[in-house]
Amino acid sequence: MADVKSVESSMFRSKDEFVTVHVKGISDVQMRLIRIGNYITAGEDAVIAQAANSVQREVQKSIIGANAEPKSVDTGMFANSIEVNKVGKMHYKVTPEGYYPNGTSVKKIASILEYGTQYITERRHFRNTKYRMEPVVNRMVAEQLRKLTKR
């Protein structure tokens, strides 16, 4: 709501305004927009966490041979090493973590299996999962955003 007041003044002699406009309720609107933004961000973060967990399960299925990629060796240790880590607001990372009993990093073995060597055929667990899951994740996030903005 705007409150407009005329100010008595000589047009040529005064440096004061001729009209003053006061908008009431701006701070209330700003606070409401901040609350809505926080609500949407929290909802999107939750669905992105769910999507990251879905990607984790898909990578694990790939490792144990449930998908088109060749099954990896020592699948239990490798599949169980896949973790979801929150990196920041609405940012999650699905990655192998940990070490094998001999001290070798699971990330190193994952990289060797993903890209192959002259002796080992590439397994493409992560890249194929990305291509399979990208449209699924996009759909999940879009649906959640539609729900959140209908409020």
Side-chain angles (χ1 to χ4, degrees), residues 108-109 111-123:
K108 179 178 179 180
I109 299 301
S111 181
I112 291 168
L113 292 171
E114 184 73 15
Y115 296 100
T117 67
Q118 62 183 358
Y119 305 108
I120 300 172
T121 304
E122 65 180 14
R123 301 302 199 296

Side-chain angles (χ1 to χ4, degrees), residues 2 6 16 27 57 60 62 87 124-125 130-131 137:
S6 296
D16 291 336
S27 62
R57 287 188 300 275
Q60 289 170 326
S62 174
V87 178
R124 298 181 62 97
H125 300 301
K130 177 195 179 289
Y131 295 122
V137 169

Side-chain angles (χ1 to χ4, degrees), residues 7 10 18 27-29 35 48 50 58-59 64 78 86-87 103 139 141 149:
V7 175
S10 167
F18 288 93
S27 62
D28 293 337
V29 171
R35 281 193 305 274
I48 292 170
Q50 291 171 356
E58 188 68 20
V59 170
I64 63 171
F78 184 26
K86 185 170 184 161
V87 178
R139 192 169 40 255
V141 171
T149 55

Side-chain angles (χ1 to χ4, degrees), residues 35-66:
R35 281 193 305 274
I36 289 169
N38 290 340
Y39 171 77
I40 290 171
T41 299
E44 282 296 304
D45 189 66
V47 78
I48 292 170
Q50 291 171 356
N53 287 322
S54 295
V55 170
Q56 174 195 32
R57 287 188 300 275
E58 188 68 20
V59 170
Q60 289 170 326
K61 283 172 42 181
S62 174
I63 290 168
I64 63 171

Side-chain angles (χ1 to χ4, degrees), residues 66-150:
N67 292 334
E69 301 82 28
K71 180 180 176 181
S72 286
V73 295
D74 193 16
T75 59
M77 180 108 180
F78 184 26
N80 290 327
S81 76
I82 308 304
E83 294 183 6
V84 175
N85 297 307
K86 185 170 184 161
V87 178
K89 187 184 290 184
M90 296 189 292
H91 185 185
Y92 292 80
K93 186 174 172 182
V94 178
T95 183
E97 296 289 344
Y99 294 88
Y100 285 96
N102 67 2
T104 306
S105 155
V106 178
K107 283 183 184 179
K108 179 178 179 180
I109 299 301
S111 181
I112 291 168
L113 292 171
E114 184 73 15
Y115 296 100
T117 67
Q118 62 183 358
Y119 305 108
I120 300 172
T121 304
E122 65 180 14
R123 301 302 199 296
R124 298 181 62 97
H125 300 301
F126 290 89
R127 289 177 288 169
N128 286 350
T129 296
K130 177 195 179 289
Y131 295 122
R132 277 193 299 270
M133 293 300 292
E134 194 168 34
V136 173
V137 169
N138 288 338
R139 192 169 40 255
M140 288 173 73
V141 171
E143 286 172 8
Q144 178 72 353
L145 187 56
R146 273 193 296 280
K147 287 178 191 175
L148 292 169
T149 55
K150 282 184 180 179

